């Protein structure tokens, strides 16, 4: 990357999109399609394809290191309740005062908050 000064951002973004699309295929969904969103929550089962395409177009692939917080009250620099996360590869843990849930590829969290019903 040192040889291509100024290209690091676009290159990283292209690699992230490629990794996300490969994970979608591995989960049995069309590359860049809406299947990964439609099947993660009952909220999206009856949504129109057009609405899901709008959501998919706004989706941004992100990579988190093992052990790193994705969101939560302990993260002063991250706004809570404004994003939905779909696990495409790896796993995540979701905690509240009463339960810890382990999320695996094909599962999501944050959809109720995103839709304004939580």
């Amino acid at each position: 990357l040192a040889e291509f000064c100024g290209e690091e951002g676009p290159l990283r973004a292209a690699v992230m999109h490629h990794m996300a699309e490969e994970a979608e295929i591995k989960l049995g969904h069309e590359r860049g399609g809406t299947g990964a969103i439609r099947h993660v929550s009952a909220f999206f089962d009856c949504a129109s394809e057009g609405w899901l395409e709008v959501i998919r177009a706004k989706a941004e692939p992100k990579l988190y290191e093992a052990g790193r917080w994705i969101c939560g009250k302990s993260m002063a620099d991250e706004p809570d309740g404004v994003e939905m996360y779909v696990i495409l590869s790896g796993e995540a843990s979701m905690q509240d005062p009463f339960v810890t849930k382990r999320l695996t590829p094909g599962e999501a969290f944050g959809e109720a908050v995103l839709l304004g019903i939580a």
Side-chain angles (χ1 to χ4, degrees):
L1 288 176
E3 295 176 27
F4 302 101
C5 186
E7 297 296 320
E8 183 176 355
L11 181 59
R12 284 186 189 278
V15 169
M16 292 298 298
H17 280 282
H18 175 74
M19 290 172 65
E21 289 176 347
E22 291 300 312
E24 288 175 315
I25 291 169
K26 189 174 180 181
L27 289 171
H29 302 296
E30 180 182 332
R31 177 187 309 245
T34 60
I37 296 170
R38 179 174 300 282
H39 298 292
V40 296
S41 172
F43 291 119
F44 302 119
D45 280 345
C46 62
S48 72
E49 190 65 20
W51 189 78
L52 290 175
E53 287 172 359
V54 169
I55 297 296
R56 177 64 170 94
K58 293 177 183 263
E60 178 182 320
K62 295 183 179 181
L63 179 66
Y64 293 94
E65 295 177 18
R68 183 175 183 273
W69 281 82
I70 296 173
C71 63
K73 293 185 190 297
S74 66
M75 300 180 65
D77 62 331
E78 296 285 332
D80 283 344
V82 296
E83 295 181 329
M84 179 182 99
Y85 296 87
V86 178
I87 309 300
L88 293 177
S89 66
E91 61 184 45
S93 294
M94 200 170 81
Q95 298 174 314
D96 69 24
F98 307 105
V99 69
T100 298
K101 181 180 180 194
R102 189 170 164 179
L103 301 169
T104 58
E107 294 184 290
F109 64 96
E111 63 273 26
V113 174
L114 181 70
L115 295 171
I117 58 175

